[in-house]
Amino acid sequence: GNSVTQMEGPVTLSEEAFLTINCTYTATGYPSLFWYVQYPGEGLQLLLKATKADDKGSNKGFEATYRKETTSFHLEKGSVQVSDSAVYFCALSDPGNTGKLIFGQGTTLQVKP
Amino acid sequence: DAEITQSPRHKITETGRQVTLACHQTWNHNNMFWYRQDLGHGLRLIHYSYGVHDTNKGEVSDGYSVSRSNTEDLPLTLESAASSQTSVYFCASSLVRTGFNEQFFGPGTRLTVL
């Protein structure tokens, strides 16, 4: 079936460190891929997306590239800030066009000053 | 600005009681979804709806029900609350079902069942 696997957290970094959160997926067909971010006490909001292979999504200094050959969509940021502390979810769109999203388990990022 | 709201934000109830969580969106989206968020499980889909009078079961629908009488609202009902239903509940909506089907999320309801 379709699924998303994220690296386990929590991830603790110092400010200005480089961030990578790994995400791999299993899917039939060609899903769209998403990263959502959840700040403390809030709902999820879309961080970036990619709709086809080799697409690079980017927003707020974060980037992720849709890699079909490795079925991955790793999230990266060159220099994290304390304000980036949040839970990050990788997700894919159900290839059956049901409108459903399939989420990974989430990775908590804590950035220390 | 269009938005999606949930109420209440926090709820404490007792085992066996019926509880209804409200979700209201002003995006005019046809598609609406209910998730629960638990540590180690990410978000799991409870129920979803593609439009008025349409409802569908998600992967963890036992003990929950929804009804859709208009485009804006999709209330979630716990028929007889159980301690295993203590969780954070999120409502979401989307415009399309295909391709780039971004979902917009509400702020969540934290439910505690004692």
Side-chain angles (χ1 to χ4, degrees):
Chain A
N2 304 306
S3 65
V4 176
T5 303
Q6 290 181 233
M7 64 186 286
E8 292 200 13
V11 174
T12 303
L13 296 173
S14 298
E15 207 165 23
E16 298 184 5
F18 185 85
L19 168 71
T20 300
I21 300 178
N22 290 337
C23 171
T24 57
Y25 67 91
T26 302
T28 55
Y30 303 98
S32 295
L33 300 175
F34 307 84
W35 276 101
Y36 278 82
V37 59
Q38 182 183 29
Y39 297 106
E42 298 184 10
L44 280 71
Q45 54 185 276
L46 182 67
L47 179 61
L48 54 83
K49 84 280 186 185
T51 56
K52 61 184 188 296
D54 300 324
D55 264 3
K56 178 185 281 189
S58 60
N59 186 24
K60 299 181 182 179
F62 291 89
E63 292 183 340
T65 301
Y66 190 145
R67 300 283 188 204
K68 188 164 178 290
E69 63 277 10
T70 54
T71 61
S72 64
F73 193 54
H74 304 321
L75 182 68
E76 296 182 335
K77 186 175 186 183
S79 176
V80 293
Q81 306 300 311
V82 172
S83 57
D84 293 326
S85 297
V87 182
Y88 293 82
F89 291 93
C90 185
L92 64 83
S93 61
D94 180 8
N97 290 333
T98 62
K100 293 191 280 187
L101 292 179
I102 297 159
F103 287 88
Q105 63 268 47
T107 302
T108 300
L109 170 66
Q110 184 178 24
V111 181
K112 296 187 173 180
Chain B
D1 283 350
E3 60 177 356
I4 181 165
T5 56
Q6 294 182 237
S7 62
R9 294 294 312 277
H10 301 272
K11 174 79 176 176
I12 300 174
T13 191
E14 295 178 344
T15 302
R17 290 192 181 268
Q18 184 181 77
V19 176
T20 296
L21 309 183
C23 174
H24 179 81
Q25 52 99 3
T26 59
W27 292 97
N28 201 34
H29 288 164
N30 281 327
N31 308 316
M32 294 185 73
F33 307 84
W34 272 105
Y35 297 91
R36 59 178 289 174
Q37 181 181 24
D38 304 287
L39 220 64
H41 291 280
L43 272 77
R44 292 182 291 177
L45 184 63
I46 305 171
H47 281 287
Y48 57 104
S49 167
Y50 291 141
V52 177
H53 302 311
D54 176 77
T55 62
N56 305 279
K57 293 182 178 180
E59 61 178 307
V60 290
S61 61
D62 286 350
Y64 303 94
S65 64
V66 293
S67 62
R68 187 95 179 266
S69 58
N70 59 51
T71 300
E72 295 80 18
D73 299 289
L74 187 69
L76 176 72
T77 298
L78 286 68
E79 304 294 344
S80 177
S83 57
S84 60
Q85 294 177 308
T86 292
S87 187
V88 181
Y89 292 86
F90 287 100
C91 180
S93 70
S94 71
L95 179 62
V96 297
R97 285 194 241 170
T98 60
F100 173 44
N101 53 322
E102 176 184 359
Q103 291 186 11
F104 296 82
F105 283 79
T109 294
R110 182 175 295 275
L111 177 68
T112 302
V113 183
L114 301 176

